[in-house]
Amino acid sequence: MQRIGSWFGDRFAERPAWMNALLLFAAVEVFVYSPWDVLCKPLAVDQDVWLGLVLTGWLAKLGGVVHWFVYVLALYGFLRMRRWMWPWASVYTAQVAFGMLVWPIAYVGGARGWMLGVAAGAALAFVAFALWRARELFDGRSVALPRRYGKWAVVTGASAGIGLEFARALAARGFCCVLVARREERLHAIAKELVATYGVDVRVVAVDLASPDGPDHLADEVADLEVGMLVSNAGFGYAGRFEKQDLSRLREMIALNCTANVVLTSRLLPPMLERRRGAVVITGSVAGRQPIPYHAVYSATKSFDLLLGEALWVELHDRGIDVLVVQPGPVATEFEEVAGEARTNPAADESAASVVAASLDALGHQPSVVSTWRNWLRANVNRFFPRSTVALIAADVMENQTPRAMR
Ligand SMILES: NC(=O)c1ccc[n+]([C@@H]2O[C@H](COP(=O)([O-])OP(=O)(O)OC[C@H]3O[C@@H](n4cnc5c(N)ncnc54)[C@H](OP(=O)(O)O)[C@@H]3O)[C@@H](O)[C@H]2O)c1
């Protein structure tokens, strides 16, 4: 209970008390008042006020739906302190202030109407003014990531796909980047691009992270840097019936997808803990949320990543370290080719840039993220069925994607 309390405490610490009050107000509007107003209130007595004008009947219902929508946006905007909240939260509140000034004067009338109108209008105008002045608070926390975590980001698997997009996105946010993978020439070309485009410092470490000493070698290579973020992303899949798979390739997969994440986190974490700030991002997969025949070891490695990251999130979140497990669905990268599979509908693959955007959005807010609603639904609908049923369904899908020789 204490940990849950401290997690809520951290969430509320992100904004001043008056803004937390607005957040709670928005939550009540979203979950209590608006559902009742729109779904339960009889049409005959429904009223809605916009700019001091009282709407009735179906217009009032429509107004109620719009209010509901506005409060959903407000709740999300306050929770995430989104940049688009400025100036819209202030403009909307000013509109409400005007309505609350005019409405009692017009409909209550007399001295009482004026007193009510001026009091409510002035109080809300004050809130609108405070929201106007709060522009800096809505800074889209991701922009300030290097300030928040530390100057350097280590990105593994940066020569292609999701890792490459992580490196680009982090450099765009001002991180100096350590690019890690085996293909050194590619890494140097990407380093050139990042330096030229974003003016950040870049270091290249070409290493095989599946080799026994690979992760330690990388940790030694960055020991002189203030590493604020580790993106432990390098990984690969391997399609095929278990007994047909090459054991040395499976060993390599476990070493890269699991061991490297553990060793790198263990080696890079202590200085972060000393500074009480840092972030660890591990790329898992929606494949880690269920058994996947013909990708049995791969899905097991990704389950490992999910449980590792989520447990570390609990251990570390109140010590200044954010942990996030990224769980993409199918993404357009070199993954499929390396895994030796043939996807049935590659056109539907998500872009690596979109996975990275969802990850940076979720970092610091939650322990894991599934990018896109479609993947999220797919990953969560499974929970309602026995795992055996889910595995049987997955077997049919995966068999089609596995080359005949490996089935
Ligand atoms: N694409 C998808 O559909 C998908 C879906 C869910 C999860 N994921 C996960 O996303 C992560 C990134 O995959 P991706 O889709 O971006 O695939 P990708 O395009 O094949 O990129 C994989 C990256 O990992 C690096 N890498 C592979 N083996 C390595 C090794 N032994 N040592 C060091 N680096 C190594 C590769 O670089 P070098 O070859 O130059 O070493 C490359 O930069 C993986 O963990 C994967 O499991 C992918």
Side-chain angles (χ1 to χ4, degrees):
M1 279 314 275
Q2 200 187 346
R3 285 178 197 280
I4 292 175
S6 106
W7 185 81
F8 271 108
D10 286 353
R11 301 284 76 74
F12 283 117
E14 287 171 18
R15 58 193 84 65
W18 63 269
M19 209 181 269
N20 280 325
L22 293 182
L23 184 151
L24 290 175
F25 177 72
V28 171
E29 285 284 343
V30 169
F31 296 113
V32 183
Y33 182 76
S34 291
W36 171 77
D37 184 42
V38 171
L39 304 174
C40 305
K41 205 173 187 181
L43 200 60
V45 295
D46 203 0
Q47 290 192 334
D48 208 53
V49 180
W50 283 92
L51 287 168
L53 283 176
V54 177
L55 309 178
T56 55
W58 283 110
L59 273 182
K61 276 283 175 241
L62 186 66
V65 172
V66 177
H67 267 130
W68 198 354
F69 180 67
V70 166
Y71 282 112
V72 167
L73 285 182
L75 179 59
Y76 177 74
F78 279 128
L79 271 175
R80 293 293 176 95
M81 295 305 280
R82 306 310 307 190
R83 220 172 324 161
W84 46 257
M85 285 290 277
W86 193 93
W88 298 111
S90 172
V91 170
Y92 177 79
T93 312
Q95 172 275 135
V96 179
F98 179 76
M100 292 308 284
L101 169 73
V102 173
W103 175 55
I105 294 172
Y107 292 91
V108 178
R112 190 159 161 265
W114 273 91
M115 270 170 56
L116 278 175
V118 170
L124 284 160
F126 185 73
V127 175
F129 181 62
L131 284 167
W132 183 266
R133 286 180 44 120
R135 181 179 189 171
E136 286 294 298
L137 294 177
F138 298 111
D139 73 347
R141 295 167 33 160
S142 55
V143 176
L145 285 179
R147 237 187 304 143
R148 193 161 150 223
Y149 294 132
K151 190 174 170 193
W152 285 82
V154 173
V155 182
T156 74
S159 64
I162 297 170
L164 168 56
E165 289 308 325
F166 257 115
R168 284 185 176 137
L170 294 176
R173 284 165 174 77
F175 273 106
C176 297
C177 293
V178 180
L179 307 179
V180 187
R182 292 165 304 181
R183 287 170 287 181
E184 190 167 6
E185 257 178 45
R186 271 208 194 189
L187 293 179
H188 281 296
I190 295 160
K192 240 186 191 175
E193 174 199 319
L194 299 187
V195 172
T197 315
Y198 305 110
V200 294
D201 291 337
V202 179
R203 182 178 288 184
V204 162
V205 180
V207 60
D208 180 354
L209 290 171
S211 68
D213 301 330
D216 280 303
H217 171 71
L218 169 58
D220 293 341
E221 289 290 308
V222 300
D224 59 321
L225 305 176
E226 187 202 339
V227 177
M229 187 185 292
L230 164 65
V231 180
S232 200
N233 159 81
F236 68 89
Y238 181 17
R241 190 179 280 275
F242 182 72
E243 77 270 15
K244 291 192 175 181
Q245 289 179 319
D246 175 15
L247 180 57
S248 62
R249 188 77 176 137
L250 293 178
R251 279 191 215 276
E252 211 182 300
M253 187 197 289
I254 294 166
L256 183 64
N257 294 10
C258 303
T259 312
N261 294 338
V262 174
V263 176
L264 289 175
T265 306
S266 167
R267 290 286 310 269
L268 301 187
L269 188 61
M272 291 184 192
L273 281 170
E274 247 169 60
R275 292 193 299 271
R276 289 193 69 82
R277 62 190 186 128
V280 176
V281 176
I282 295 172
T283 308
S285 168
V286 286
R289 297 173 70 109
Q290 63 171 79
I292 305 214
Y294 302 96
H295 257 305
V297 179
Y298 177 69
S299 64
T301 65
K302 293 298 166 177
S303 278
F304 176 96
D305 292 338
L306 176 63
L307 301 188
L308 168 73
E310 289 195 334
L312 290 183
W313 176 83
V314 174
E315 286 188 29
L316 296 170
H317 81 92
D318 57 355
R319 293 198 281 158
I321 316 292
D322 291 328
V323 179
L324 180 77
V325 182
V326 181
Q327 296 174 275
V331 187
T333 66
E334 297 170 8
F335 178 89
E336 189 184 345
E337 192 189 328
V338 175
E341 67 178 17
R343 284 198 187 127
T344 40
N345 185 13
D349 284 3
E350 192 186 355
S351 74
S354 137
V355 173
V356 171
S359 309
L360 294 181
D361 207 31
L363 182 63
H365 296 290
Q366 58 206 61
S368 58
V369 64
V370 176
S371 51
T372 83
W373 276 102
R374 211 156 28 136
N375 289 330
W376 187 88
L377 271 182
R378 241 188 263 158
N380 285 289
V381 162
N382 289 347
R383 294 186 192 208
F384 297 106
F385 298 95
R387 270 216 294 278
S388 51
T389 310
V390 172
L392 285 166
I393 295 170
D396 283 343
V397 178
M398 296 315 297
E399 195 175 8
N400 284 336
Q401 299 191 12
T402 306
R404 266 181 203 289
M406 290 299 285
R407 287 183 197 165

